Amino acid sequence: MSSIPKIVILGAGYGGILTAQRLQKELNYNEADVTLVNRHDYHYITTHLHMPAAGTDKIEHARVSISKLIDEFKIDLVKSSVKEIRLQDRKVILEDGTLSYDYLIIGLGGEPETFGIPGMLDHAMTIRSINSVRLIREHIEYQFAMYKNDNKRNRIRFVVGGAGFSGVEFVAELADRIPQLCKEFDVDTKHVHIYNVEAAPSALPGFDPELVEHAMNVLKKKGVTFKIGVPIKQCLPDGVIVGDGEKIDAATVVWTGGIRGNSLLEQAGLEVMRGRVKVDEYLRAPGHEHVYVIGDNSLVFNKEGRPYPPTAQIAMQQGVNCAKNIVAAIRNKQPQPFEFTSKGTVASLGKGEAIAVVGDKKYKGWKAAQLKKLVDLRYLFIIGGIPLVLRKGRFFG
């Protein structure tokens, strides 16, 4: 190692940002060189993307300039894409240069998991970045505009694949947006159809059945048609084939059915399961004690031996733990095992509606919607303090 260790963080998602912020707080001046690599110069709030995708909120509310979140005298921000990770050489190859490291944190975010469904990668859109969200919103508006010209009914039919968190939250926002679009483009609302298709036997897997039933009832009243226990067999340019061969004609297919890890990890020679690395108790990649893997790229198991779902909540806690363990390694101190503590789960169901579980308490409706706002405001406060809460927070609506 050089006299001053080099720490490289790949990705400025929930885990990457929290790692960077904690390192800048814990490290003394000149104790380490820290570099944060991200494709964009902003951090985006993934759990908020379903709203601008449907057009119910501004894109600006879902992103924050990284320069407002880190001290650029302590952390060097490199705006670039990662092309290759060379573990043996302790190097990261970027599109426009190379970085060497003594400690590497991989938090590159996930990729869509299509489970091999033919045509899904080619014809469906995904809610996974600011650019993809902009594309979905503009595409939906374009379909309404075109419908007035050619009267093709499939233009105002929408299929959302997957009824997990992302799928349900997106269909809720889309259902809220439809009346506004119909008014704007003079379209009869009864001609618009939203389908939410899920292969599993239940929507919102892992949620309490009573809350799932409430969520589905709320969304059905908003005009959503559920197809639960029905897999999508194929995605076409003009719709999907589901179940036993039924075709749903739709000019818009949005896939929210799964996230896998990042293909760069497997290419680097790490052992992966669906693109994720099963990390050790200190969040390190097996066999590479200077490489930490967090967020969508990591696989962490609970005491029952089941993997935790890759949520923002777990990524944030991993970021804090990861930073502490790197500081401990630099100072030759004992690392702390990572233990996830659930703060609860909230799913938004559109304007004024949500479901939530906090501890052993269940909430639905307006109370749950206020909890969702509190969760969002808490995150803004954690990463940017009161100024960010005031700038980006949603207090009403």
Side-chain angles (χ1 to χ4, degrees), residues 68-98:
K68 294 197 183 323
L69 301 178
I70 61 169
D71 182 343
E72 291 185 280
F73 289 105
K74 292 184 175 179
I75 293 176
D76 185 24
L77 175 63
V78 174
K79 185 182 165 186
S80 189
S81 292
V82 179
K83 295 298 173 192
E84 188 185 349
I85 299 166
R86 293 185 185 164
L87 296 172
Q88 301 316 117
D89 304 330
R90 292 200 184 182
K91 282 184 169 49
V92 177
I93 312 302
L94 307 177
E95 63 185 353
D96 47 8
T98 302

Side-chain angles (χ1 to χ4, degrees), residues 368-379 394:
Q370 302 320 300
L371 271 173
K372 172 69 174 167
K373 279 183 199 160
L374 282 173
V375 167
D376 294 342
L377 293 172
R378 178 178 176 270
Y379 178 66
R394 294 178 73 255

Side-chain angles (χ1 to χ4, degrees), residues 33-318:
D33 284 334
V34 184
T35 302
L36 174 61
V37 180
N38 200 54
R39 189 182 302 164
H40 309 289
D41 57 7
Y42 55 82
H43 161 76
Y44 58 84
I45 301 164
T46 314
T47 55
H48 195 81
L49 289 180
H50 59 283
M51 298 178 75
T56 54
D57 197 12
K58 295 174 184 170
I59 281 175
E60 283 310 307
H61 286 159
R63 70 177 176 187
V64 188
S65 171
I66 293 170
S67 63
K68 294 197 183 323
L69 301 178
I70 61 169
D71 182 343
E72 291 185 280
F73 289 105
K74 292 184 175 179
I75 293 176
D76 185 24
L77 175 63
V78 174
K79 185 182 165 186
S80 189
S81 292
V82 179
K83 295 298 173 192
E84 188 185 349
I85 299 166
R86 293 185 185 164
L87 296 172
Q88 301 316 117
D89 304 330
R90 292 200 184 182
K91 282 184 169 49
V92 177
I93 312 302
L94 307 177
E95 63 185 353
D96 47 8
T98 302
L99 289 173
S100 59
Y101 66 84
D102 297 306
Y103 296 96
L104 181 66
I105 300 104
I106 305 174
L108 286 167
E111 299 169 354
E113 172 61 275
T114 62
F115 306 102
I117 299 169
M120 195 60 82
L121 280 174
D122 299 319
H123 306 304
M125 292 181 284
T126 55
I127 303 170
R128 56 188 299 257
S129 68
I130 294 290
N131 292 334
S132 70
V133 157
R134 190 180 285 116
L135 185 69
I136 291 169
R137 190 193 66 204
E138 290 175 358
H139 172 85
I140 290 167
E141 290 167 359
Y142 177 74
Q143 297 309 319
F144 271 85
M146 285 300 291
Y147 175 70
K148 292 307 289 182
N149 288 312
D150 60 21
N151 235 25
K152 289 183 180 172
R153 286 285 174 89
N154 75 330
R155 291 200 183 278
I156 49 174
R157 287 197 192 116
F158 304 90
V159 173
V160 178
F165 262 73
S166 300
V168 164
E169 291 194 323
F170 176 63
V171 294
E173 295 299 325
L174 183 57
D176 281 354
R177 179 90 196 282
I178 292 302
Q180 181 194 340
L181 287 167
C182 286
K183 189 176 178 183
E184 188 179 336
F185 291 97
D186 294 319
V187 173
D188 191 332
T189 52
K190 72 172 184 282
H191 294 152
V192 182
H193 295 282
I194 303 171
Y195 298 92
N196 195 188
V197 185
E198 171 58 62
S202 166
L204 294 165
F207 246 116
D208 180 271
E210 179 196 338
L211 294 180
V212 174
E213 187 181 355
H214 173 79
M216 290 180 71
N217 287 338
V218 166
L219 296 180
K220 282 172 186 173
K221 282 176 189 164
K222 290 186 180 192
V224 177
T225 300
F226 285 97
K227 288 186 172 288
I228 305 296
V230 179
I232 294 178
K233 294 294 181 68
Q234 188 178 359
C235 185
L236 307 164
D238 59 350
V240 290
I241 307 292
V242 301
D244 295 327
E246 177 196 353
K247 184 182 180 194
I248 303 174
D249 285 311
T252 306
V253 179
V254 177
W255 175 248
T256 69
I259 293 283
R260 58 182 289 114
N262 197 293
S263 51
L264 285 169
L265 279 78
E266 190 169 11
Q267 290 164 23
L270 292 168
E271 190 177 329
V272 297
M273 294 167 68
R274 280 178 59 192
R276 294 192 175 100
V277 174
K278 184 182 174 184
V279 291
D280 72 9
E281 61 186 323
Y282 306 115
L283 301 176
R284 300 177 302 197
H288 300 276
E289 65 176 32
H290 295 95
V291 178
Y292 296 76
V293 187
I294 58 177
D296 287 346
N297 298 161
S298 71
L299 197 57
V300 178
F301 290 83
N302 64 18
K303 288 183 173 66
E304 287 78 48
R306 288 195 297 274
Y308 286 113
T311 61
Q313 193 179 164
I314 195 169
M316 289 164 65
Q317 291 181 31
Q318 284 179 323

